[in-house]
Amino acid sequence: MARLLNGKPVADRVAAALAPRVAALASRGRAPSLAALAYRPDPSARFFLERMQRAGERAGVAITPREAVDVDSLRAEIDRANRDARVHGITVLAPLPPSVDVAEVMEWVDPRKDVEGLHPYNAGRLASGKPTFIPYTAEAILLLLRESGAHVEGARAVVVGRSIVVGRPASLLLMYDHATVTLAHRGTHALASVTREAEILVVAVGRPHLITAEMVRHGAVVIDAGINATPDGVVGDVDFDGVSRVASAITPVPGGVGSLTTMLLLRNTVTAAEGLPG
Ligand code: NAP
């Protein structure tokens, strides 16, 4: 059976390392603060907000919820947070309506407050190898991979999903760690033959149980970023029961990638409050 890669112990270590930085900021009267914008009331946005507020209390980062009722008011709220010197970071909670392009919305955020790392300035910095704010889900994937002890340098890595939020930045981070990376998506032919090559398999798709045991190489390390609400509860993109019999290590859902992401968002907020270098 595969070893379980739990996110919480890693999140605890990130939180512990944040504490002195938060205390130093507070002593300068600059306690870190994150504006969390939701587009219309939504149960899953509320779930993420509550999780963020609990983590914020633990880490000493103030979370200010703000709600928009349409695209114009979302833009107005982002402008307001951009201008507010007491706000150091801005996050836009999922989901946005399908008609709204997340990449476009993130262009409205001041890049110095873009703690999601999705503004073209920060995405460009990451693509050019000089990252400022790294998208937190992609970073969580890499931290859990390191936790597995997997040898990333020279490994064959396959990332399924190429969104700007998860798959694309995760593939860049793997490439910087010297993996040989293949990025798969809906246009990929014979997905199973591609995933079976992977010594490291990262999945960020949003399709419950897309990846089955037959699609996974024996001994692979499997990182599942998927979060899918189903009648049976929250499941990942990987068929956990089957794949954990062939993988050497695997992230559970829930309890894996998703348990770490919020703390990394808060860490980016602390970095923003400290002021980015040059
Ligand atoms: P997204 O923007 O919808 O992107 C999904 C990607 O998967 C796209 O690149 C798409 O390909 C690809 N894809 C869809 N169906 C596929 C298939 N059958 N075969 C191969 N590729 C396929 O989703 P996302 O924002 O990246 O989110 C992905 C998952 O991660 C979701 O379950 C989401 O809930 C989860 N997530 C978790 C966290 C967290 O842990 N906090 C944060 C963000 C997202 P095309 O590009 O060709 O369309």
Coordinates of all heavy atoms in Angstrom, one line a residue, residues 101-137:
D101 N -13.8 35.3 -16.8 CA -12.4 34.7 -17.0 C -11.5 35.1 -15.8 O -11.2 36.2 -15.6 CB -11.8 35.3 -18.3 CG -10.4 34.8 -18.6 OD1 -10.0 33.8 -17.9 OD2 -9.8 35.3 -19.5
V102 N -11.1 34.0 -15.1 CA -10.3 34.2 -13.9 C -9.0 35.0 -14.2 O -8.6 35.9 -13.4 CB -10.1 32.9 -13.1 CG1 -9.2 32.0 -13.9 CG2 -9.4 33.2 -11.7
A103 N -8.4 34.7 -15.3 CA -7.2 35.4 -15.7 C -7.4 36.9 -15.8 O -6.6 37.7 -15.4 CB -6.6 34.8 -16.9
E104 N -8.6 37.2 -16.4 CA -8.9 38.7 -16.6 C -9.1 39.3 -15.3 O -8.6 40.4 -15.0 CB -10.1 38.8 -17.5 CG -10.3 40.2 -18.0 CD -11.6 40.3 -18.8 OE1 -12.0 39.4 -19.5 OE2 -12.1 41.4 -18.8
V105 N -9.8 38.7 -14.4 CA -10.1 39.2 -13.1 C -8.8 39.5 -12.3 O -8.6 40.5 -11.7 CB -11.1 38.3 -12.3 CG1 -11.1 38.7 -10.8 CG2 -12.4 38.3 -12.9
M106 N -7.9 38.5 -12.4 CA -6.6 38.7 -11.7 C -5.8 39.8 -12.2 O -4.9 40.4 -11.5 CB -5.8 37.4 -11.6 CG -6.6 36.2 -10.9 SD -7.4 36.6 -9.4 CE -6.1 37.0 -8.3
E107 N -6.0 40.3 -13.4 CA -5.3 41.4 -14.0 C -5.7 42.7 -13.3 O -5.0 43.7 -13.4 CB -5.5 41.5 -15.5 CG -4.8 40.5 -16.3 CD -4.7 40.8 -17.7 OE1 -4.6 42.0 -18.1 OE2 -4.8 39.9 -18.6
W108 N -6.9 42.7 -12.6 CA -7.4 43.9 -11.9 C -6.6 44.1 -10.6 O -6.7 45.2 -10.0 CB -8.9 43.8 -11.7 CG -9.7 43.7 -12.9 CD1 -9.3 44.0 -14.2 CD2 -11.0 43.1 -13.0 NE1 -10.3 43.7 -15.1 CE2 -11.4 43.1 -14.4 CE3 -11.9 42.6 -12.1 CZ2 -12.6 42.7 -14.8 CZ3 -13.1 42.1 -12.5 CH2 -13.5 42.1 -13.9
V109 N -6.0 43.0 -10.1 CA -5.4 43.1 -8.8 C -4.0 43.7 -8.9 O -3.3 43.4 -9.8 CB -5.3 41.6 -8.2 CG1 -4.5 41.6 -6.9 CG2 -6.7 41.0 -8.0
D110 N -3.7 44.6 -8.0 CA -2.4 45.2 -7.9 C -1.3 44.0 -7.8 O -1.5 43.2 -6.8 CB -2.3 46.1 -6.7 CG -0.9 46.8 -6.5 OD1 0.1 46.2 -7.0 OD2 -0.9 47.9 -5.9
P111 N -0.4 43.9 -8.7 CA 0.5 42.7 -8.6 C 1.2 42.6 -7.2 O 1.6 41.5 -6.8 CB 1.6 43.0 -9.7 CG 1.0 44.1 -10.5 CD -0.1 44.8 -9.8
R112 N 1.4 43.7 -6.5 CA 2.1 43.6 -5.2 C 1.1 43.0 -4.2 O 1.6 42.6 -3.1 CB 2.5 45.0 -4.7 CG 3.6 45.6 -5.5 CD 3.8 47.1 -5.3 NE 2.5 47.8 -5.6 CZ 2.3 49.1 -5.6 NH1 3.3 49.8 -5.2 NH2 1.2 49.6 -5.9
K113 N -0.2 42.9 -4.5 CA -1.1 42.3 -3.5 C -1.7 41.0 -4.1 O -2.6 40.4 -3.5 CB -2.3 43.3 -3.3 CG -1.8 44.6 -2.6 CD -3.0 45.5 -2.2 CE -2.5 46.8 -1.6 NZ -3.6 47.6 -0.9
D114 N -1.1 40.6 -5.2 CA -1.6 39.4 -5.9 C -1.0 38.1 -5.3 O -0.2 37.5 -5.8 CB -1.2 39.5 -7.4 CG -1.4 38.1 -8.1 OD1 -2.4 37.4 -7.8 OD2 -0.6 37.8 -9.0
V115 N -1.5 37.8 -4.1 CA -1.0 36.7 -3.3 C -1.4 35.3 -3.9 O -0.9 34.3 -3.4 CB -1.4 36.8 -1.8 CG1 -0.6 37.9 -1.2 CG2 -2.8 37.0 -1.6
E116 N -2.3 35.3 -4.9 CA -2.5 34.1 -5.6 C -1.5 33.8 -6.7 O -1.5 32.7 -7.3 CB -3.9 34.1 -6.2 CG -5.0 34.2 -5.2 CD -6.4 33.8 -5.8 OE1 -6.5 32.9 -6.6 OE2 -7.4 34.6 -5.4
G117 N -0.7 34.8 -7.0 CA 0.3 34.7 -8.0 C -0.2 34.5 -9.4 O 0.5 33.8 -10.3
L118 N -1.3 35.1 -9.8 CA -2.0 34.8 -11.1 C -1.9 36.0 -12.0 O -2.3 35.9 -13.2 CB -3.4 34.4 -10.9 CG -3.6 33.1 -10.1 CD1 -5.1 32.7 -9.9 CD2 -2.8 31.9 -10.7
H119 N -1.6 37.2 -11.5 CA -1.5 38.4 -12.3 C -0.4 38.1 -13.3 O 0.6 37.5 -13.0 CB -1.1 39.6 -11.4 CG -1.1 40.9 -12.2 ND1 0.0 41.2 -13.0 CD2 -2.0 41.9 -12.3 CE1 -0.3 42.4 -13.6 NE2 -1.5 42.8 -13.2
P120 N -0.5 38.6 -14.6 CA 0.5 38.3 -15.6 C 1.9 38.7 -15.1 O 2.9 38.1 -15.5 CB 0.1 39.2 -16.8 CG -1.4 39.4 -16.6 CD -1.6 39.4 -15.1
Y121 N 2.1 39.8 -14.3 CA 3.4 40.1 -13.8 C 4.0 39.0 -13.0 O 5.1 38.5 -13.2 CB 3.3 41.4 -12.9 CG 4.6 41.7 -12.3 CD1 5.6 42.4 -13.0 CD2 4.9 41.3 -11.0 CE1 6.9 42.7 -12.4 CE2 6.1 41.6 -10.4 CZ 7.1 42.3 -11.1 OH 8.3 42.5 -10.5
N122 N 3.2 38.4 -12.0 CA 3.7 37.4 -11.2 C 3.8 36.0 -11.9 O 4.7 35.3 -11.7 CB 2.8 37.2 -9.9 CG 3.0 38.4 -9.0 OD1 4.1 38.8 -8.7 ND2 1.9 39.0 -8.6
A123 N 2.8 35.8 -12.8 CA 2.9 34.6 -13.7 C 4.1 34.6 -14.6 O 4.8 33.6 -14.8 CB 1.6 34.4 -14.5
G124 N 4.4 35.8 -15.1 CA 5.6 36.0 -15.9 C 6.9 35.8 -15.2 O 7.8 35.3 -15.7
R125 N 6.9 36.4 -13.9 CA 8.1 36.2 -13.1 C 8.3 34.7 -12.9 O 9.5 34.2 -12.9 CB 7.9 36.8 -11.7 CG 7.7 38.3 -11.7 CD 9.0 39.1 -11.6 NE 9.9 38.7 -10.6 CZ 11.0 39.4 -10.2 NH1 11.2 40.5 -10.9 NH2 11.8 39.0 -9.3
L126 N 7.3 33.9 -12.6 CA 7.4 32.5 -12.4 C 7.9 31.8 -13.7 O 8.9 31.0 -13.7 CB 6.1 31.9 -12.0 CG 6.1 30.3 -11.8 CD1 7.1 29.9 -10.7 CD2 4.7 29.8 -11.4
A127 N 7.3 32.2 -14.8 CA 7.7 31.6 -16.1 C 9.2 31.9 -16.5 O 9.8 31.2 -17.1 CB 6.8 32.1 -17.2
S128 N 9.7 33.1 -16.0 CA 11.1 33.5 -16.3 C 12.0 33.0 -15.2 O 13.2 33.3 -15.3 CB 11.2 35.0 -16.5 OG 10.9 35.6 -15.3
G129 N 11.5 32.2 -14.3 CA 12.4 31.6 -13.3 C 12.8 32.5 -12.1 O 13.7 32.3 -11.4
K130 N 12.1 33.7 -12.0 CA 12.3 34.6 -10.8 C 11.0 34.8 -10.1 O 10.4 35.9 -10.1 CB 12.8 35.9 -11.4 CG 14.2 35.8 -12.0 CD 14.6 37.2 -12.5 CE 15.9 37.1 -13.2 NZ 16.1 38.3 -14.1
P131 N 10.5 33.7 -9.5 CA 9.1 33.8 -8.9 C 9.0 34.8 -7.7 O 10.0 35.0 -7.0 CB 8.9 32.4 -8.4 CG 10.2 31.7 -8.3 CD 11.1 32.4 -9.3
T132 N 7.9 35.4 -7.6 CA 7.6 36.3 -6.5 C 6.5 35.6 -5.7 O 6.9 34.9 -4.7 CB 7.1 37.7 -7.0 OG1 6.3 37.5 -8.1 CG2 8.3 38.6 -7.3
F133 N 5.3 35.7 -6.1 CA 4.2 35.0 -5.4 C 3.9 33.7 -6.3 O 3.5 33.8 -7.4 CB 2.9 35.8 -5.3 CG 3.1 37.0 -4.5 CD1 2.9 38.3 -5.0 CD2 3.4 36.9 -3.1 CE1 3.0 39.4 -4.2 CE2 3.5 38.0 -2.3 CZ 3.3 39.3 -2.9
I134 N 4.1 32.5 -5.7 CA 3.9 31.3 -6.4 C 2.4 30.8 -6.1 O 2.0 30.9 -5.0 CB 4.9 30.2 -5.9 CG1 6.3 30.6 -6.3 CG2 4.5 28.8 -6.5 CD1 7.4 29.6 -5.7
P135 N 1.7 30.5 -7.2 CA 0.3 30.0 -6.9 C 0.3 28.9 -5.9 O 1.0 27.9 -6.0 CB -0.2 29.5 -8.3 CG 0.6 30.4 -9.3 CD 2.0 30.5 -8.6
Y136 N -0.5 29.1 -4.8 CA -0.4 28.2 -3.6 C -0.7 26.8 -3.8 O -0.1 25.9 -3.2 CB -1.1 28.8 -2.5 CG -2.6 29.1 -2.8 CD1 -3.6 28.1 -2.7 CD2 -3.0 30.4 -3.2 CE1 -4.9 28.4 -2.9 CE2 -4.3 30.7 -3.4 CZ -5.3 29.7 -3.3 OH -6.6 30.0 -3.6
T137 N -1.6 26.4 -4.8 CA -1.9 25.0 -4.9 C -0.7 24.3 -5.6 O -0.3 23.2 -5.2 CB -3.1 24.8 -5.8 OG1 -4.2 25.6 -5.2 CG2 -3.6 23.4 -5.8

